[in-house]
Amino acid sequence: MVLTKQRSPRNPDDFPTVQLFLLAIVRLAEPIALTSIFPYAWALVKRFKIGNEQDASFYAGLLISSFALAEALMGMYWGGLSDRVGRKPVLLLGCIGTMFSMVMVGFATNIWIALIGRALGGLLNGNIGVIQTMVGELVSKPEHERESTLPKKPPISKWTRRNANVVARAYSVMPFVWSIGTIIGPAIGGILADPHESWPNAFPKGTLFADFPYLLPNLCCAVLLLISICLGYFLLEETHPDMVPRVMLPDNTYVSDETPLMETSDAIKQPAVDLRSETYGTFRGRNSVEFNHDEVCLKEPEKKTGCNIFTKRIMALVTALSIFTYHSMTYDHLLPIFFEDDRVPIDYAPDSGFFSKLNPLYSPGGLGLSMQSVGFVMAVNGAIALFVQVVVFPIAAERIGVFRLFILVTVLHPIAYIIVPTLVHLHGSALYAGIYFCLTIRNLLSIVLYPLLLILIKDATPSSSVLGKVNGMAASAGAACRMIAPPVAGYLYSIGSQIDCTGLAWYGSALVAVIGAFQCFQVKRDKNDQASEEAGATTDD
């Protein structure tokens, strides 16, 4: 297949910096495109004049959730298809589908065209699972990740200690890129939406962008997607193990328990003369310095069929990812609403009732911040998230260990939701200090947990031949939870506003996080996790 053909060989022993960078560029366009609608979704629905104006928030939520619903339905299919035809074609098709979806929404004249456009983008987009699979395959070399079979008490070497940091760096790239996209996307949507109102001289009445006020941000996002498609087509390499040229794979890829002890001319696994080798036709032998491999790992040949992806460990991890995705999405949905909601004077309290002033659950209204203040706070929040991803996560994963850190941050996660409603009792500079404290706690837990789950899911996959399907299943489950979370959280916030307890929605999310804290102990610890943590514990020796 043309898309899966490699254009230049890459040394498999090197850390795939260039390929991860290209994958990040392709990935960056997606969160920008998907989150750019957030600032103007409510205004877009009001322009369509459907139902009562009070129902605009409901239809706006429906418009945003339609993408996640369609993505949840098709995520596992695209993951399975990538196992058959390759990662790269499916990835590029997802970008193309999202690009046409943006243009369709920009030209929408009613709610139904906008809904179809968003849903079409979700149906054609399975990139979350595919990109996770590609990252796992890019760092699957022996020097980049521990072998699948380790002795009971493995010897601690330098590469073993370095492994956790390398894998952590690779798996933190995509969440890092997503955070950047979620900062840039809403900025594009907020600044470029309805340009006729903002710049009437540049976009006078009767022009295309005046007739379609939300076309400009969608076209800008579509151009970014087109650039990522071109870069992916020409420069991104296929990572599927069955479609990567053998010359790019380590020599021990073809060594198994069926390899003949004495190499013969018809040995399929390890031919006596490899015509594809870079050493063929030169004076350098396979045992020369450049091609010497001190350690030979004997792997069992992977079976192409019969791999069960519904194992207890995989299902427990997918469940943990679903729970995390749900309460994390509620946080992202509630935060701007809580910040912009009118502040109720704390001196005012009902004379009686359960939610009285003396009750710790008493949290009337929001913080009363302006949209400009909320934008600045969200920008700072993005900076905190980037710092956690780049600096904190790799160090924590190396020092503490992937599995142990997964348990720790999952158990502590409810704290991130319980402390937010207390902000209504703060004023002035203390309020902003409290806001940044809450955001720091949340990022330390949330930003760290997501890549940990991706690493554990990849390690739990029985074969690379079904890795795309497993990640597709995980992506579908996460998309389903992202679809459900906003309306549920919004409904609880509405009820809480009526009883002077806007914290009700936050406590509901905390309850889900508590369930996740108990559920994480259902994930069985793998021997490889224990070996990696033992190696990391001796780093200072």
Side-chain angles (χ1 to χ4, degrees), residues 100-155:
F100 282 107
S101 169
M102 301 298 298
V103 176
M104 193 171 180
V105 172
F107 281 105
T109 56
N110 56 65
I111 185 66
W112 304 113
I113 295 178
L115 280 173
I116 293 173
R118 292 283 294 180
L120 180 64
L123 287 173
L124 296 177
N125 193 311
N127 286 0
I128 293 180
V130 173
I131 288 177
Q132 292 172 8
T133 304
M134 295 182 74
V135 172
E137 290 169 342
L138 282 172
V139 296
S140 61
K141 307 304 178 186
E143 289 80 3
H144 301 156
E145 191 172 33
R146 60 180 177 268
E147 297 297 334
S148 60
T149 56
L150 288 175
K152 294 182 179 179
K153 294 183 179 180

Side-chain angles (χ1 to χ4, degrees), residues 69-87:
L69 173 61
E71 188 180 29
L73 295 176
M74 297 295 292
M76 192 170 179
Y77 169 78
W78 291 119
L81 183 64
S82 72
D83 289 331
R84 299 192 298 273
V85 304
R87 319 298 184 199

Side-chain angles (χ1 to χ4, degrees), residues 2-10 16-26 87-89 91-92 134 138 226-239 248:
V2 177
L3 288 179
T4 59
K5 181 181 179 180
Q6 302 297 338
R7 289 169 171 79
S8 60
R10 173 175 59 85
T17 304
V18 175
Q19 287 301 304
L20 282 176
F21 174 76
L22 291 171
L23 198 59
I25 295 298
V26 176
R87 319 298 184 199
K88 187 174 175 179
L91 179 66
L92 295 180
M134 295 182 74
L138 282 172
L226 180 61
I227 294 174
S228 68
I229 291 170
C230 294
L231 289 175
Y233 179 84
F234 290 107
L235 300 177
L236 192 64
E237 295 177 354
E238 176 61 54
T239 63
M248 296 181 61

Side-chain angles (χ1 to χ4, degrees), residues 216-268:
L216 184 58
N218 283 280
L219 281 182
C220 289
C221 295
V223 170
L224 292 176
L225 281 164
L226 180 61
I227 294 174
S228 68
I229 291 170
C230 294
L231 289 175
Y233 179 84
F234 290 107
L235 300 177
L236 192 64
E237 295 177 354
E238 176 61 54
T239 63
H240 195 294
D242 294 340
M243 300 176 187
V244 175
R246 287 187 170 186
V247 71
M248 296 181 61
L249 299 177
D251 290 337
N252 55 30
T253 303
Y254 312 107
V255 180
S256 69
D257 54 358
E258 298 177 357
T259 303
L261 295 178
M262 179 177 296
E263 295 179 349
T264 61
S265 59
D266 61 346
I268 297 177

Side-chain angles (χ1 to χ4, degrees), residues 37 42 51 72 95 101-102 118 122 262 285 294 296 320 327 332 344 352 373 382 401 431-432 478:
I37 194 176
W42 187 62
C95 291
S101 169
M102 301 298 298
R118 292 283 294 180
M262 179 177 296
D294 296 332
V296 177
H327 62 70
D332 295 334
V344 177
S352 60
S373 299
L431 173 61
Y432 284 93

